[in-house]
Amino acid sequence: GAGVSQSPSNKVTEKGKDVELRCDPISGHTALYWYRQSLGQGLEFLIYFQGNSAPDKSGLPSDRFSAERTGGSVSTLTIQRTQQEDSAVYLCASSLGHSDEQFFGPGTRLTVL
Amino acid sequence: DAKTTQPPSMDCAEGRAANLPCNHSTISGNEYVYWYRQIHSQGPQYIIHGLKNNETNEMASLIITEDRKSSTLILPHATLRDTAVYYCIVRAPSSGSARQLTFGSGTQLTVLP
């Protein structure tokens, strides 16, 4: 069975460029989370999607960050005008409804030069 | 969510059982105990959860004390691939709002050959 997949696995970009990160959740999972994790640090919550409800964007660090989820499945996290402090591993997780068992993808390692 | 306390590190010989303790003395009656782990350079991985009964799955067993103030995660036959940081989390059931995970410092388990 397919797990959560993310692409690209690695992304190197120049400061000021925009990037898009993709997450394919487990089929049938209605809840989707984006987190980021800096080296040696814990998880930082970014945004949460649940079904057709309005997303919880309370964790987005600035208005340069946005995310959408099309058709209740695939999600894209967009970072505009990237800064060096955006460098981190961006993790996507999905869960079945309100279940607290979250299944994580392998992450996208973003490096902003 | 209730606070948890875990030892910062543990070693275990390959093939032996790894017993990882977690204290959660302020746990409430409706809070579950969850365990996740994070292998180096990978996303977090759900392991197991329980309320008050002992639980077992293909990965591990979870033993919760009768007063529910502590629990032990047991990996019955540890392998080198089980080397990871293990996180114990206590959480109430989801009510539909964002249920982002917050990890403490966890226990670094090192399985030795």
Side-chain angles (χ1 to χ4, degrees):
Chain A
V4 178
S5 61
Q6 293 185 244
S7 61
S9 56
N10 282 282
K11 177 71 176 178
V12 180
T13 190
E14 294 179 348
K15 177 181 173 181
K17 301 284 189 183
D18 298 351
V19 296
E20 282 190 356
L21 312 179
R22 177 187 169 105
C23 172
D24 285 85
I26 293 172
S27 178
H29 280 194
T30 58
L32 187 148
Y33 296 80
W34 282 98
Y35 297 88
R36 72 178 177 183
Q37 190 171 36
S38 301
L39 187 63
Q41 301 299 308
L43 293 178
E44 178 186 0
F45 165 72
L46 297 177
I47 189 168
Y48 164 73
F49 296 90
Q50 171 60 55
N52 296 320
S53 302
D56 180 339
K57 305 179 182 180
S58 59
L60 295 178
S62 78
D63 58 7
R64 297 186 294 106
F65 288 72
S66 63
E68 62 178 23
R69 189 178 185 192
T70 54
S73 181
V74 173
S75 178
T76 302
L77 177 69
T78 301
I79 309 173
Q80 296 178 311
R81 305 181 302 282
T82 52
Q83 304 294 313
Q84 289 183 331
E85 59 264 29
D86 299 334
S87 296
V89 175
Y90 288 80
L91 292 159
C92 174
S94 71
S95 65
L96 187 63
H98 303 319
S99 164
D100 277 337
E101 301 143 60
Q102 295 184 23
F103 296 87
F104 285 78
T108 294
R109 182 174 298 277
L110 175 66
T111 303
V112 181
L113 301 177
Chain B
D1 298 335
K3 178 181 169 58
T4 62
T5 304
Q6 299 176 254
S9 64
M10 292 181 62
D11 291 342
C12 175
E14 187 178 19
R16 304 295 293 270
N19 297 282
L20 294 102
C22 180
N23 287 322
H24 31 79
S25 58
T26 60
I27 191 170
S28 299
N30 67 337
E31 289 182 314
Y32 286 73
V33 180
Y34 282 80
W35 284 83
Y36 283 78
R37 72 180 182 183
Q38 190 166 20
I39 296 168
H40 183 64
S41 297
Q42 296 185 21
Q45 180 185 22
Y46 164 79
I47 302 174
I48 199 168
H49 75 282
L51 183 62
K52 54 184 178 181
N53 297 321
N54 298 338
E55 301 288 343
T56 296
N57 63 20
E58 66 277 6
M59 290 184 66
S61 294
L62 174 61
I63 308 298
I64 303 174
T65 58
E66 191 168 343
D67 63 7
R68 303 211 320 123
K69 293 185 177 182
S70 65
S71 60
T72 301
L73 179 74
I74 301 173
L75 308 178
H77 305 287
T79 71
L80 298 179
R81 289 177 296 179
D82 291 322
T83 293
V85 180
Y86 287 76
Y87 298 99
C88 169
I89 306 163
V90 173
R91 295 161 68 82
S94 170
S95 60
S97 59
R99 298 292 294 163
Q100 60 267 36
L101 290 174
T102 303
F103 291 152
S105 52
T107 297
Q108 170 65 61
L109 174 69
T110 302
V111 180
L112 304 172

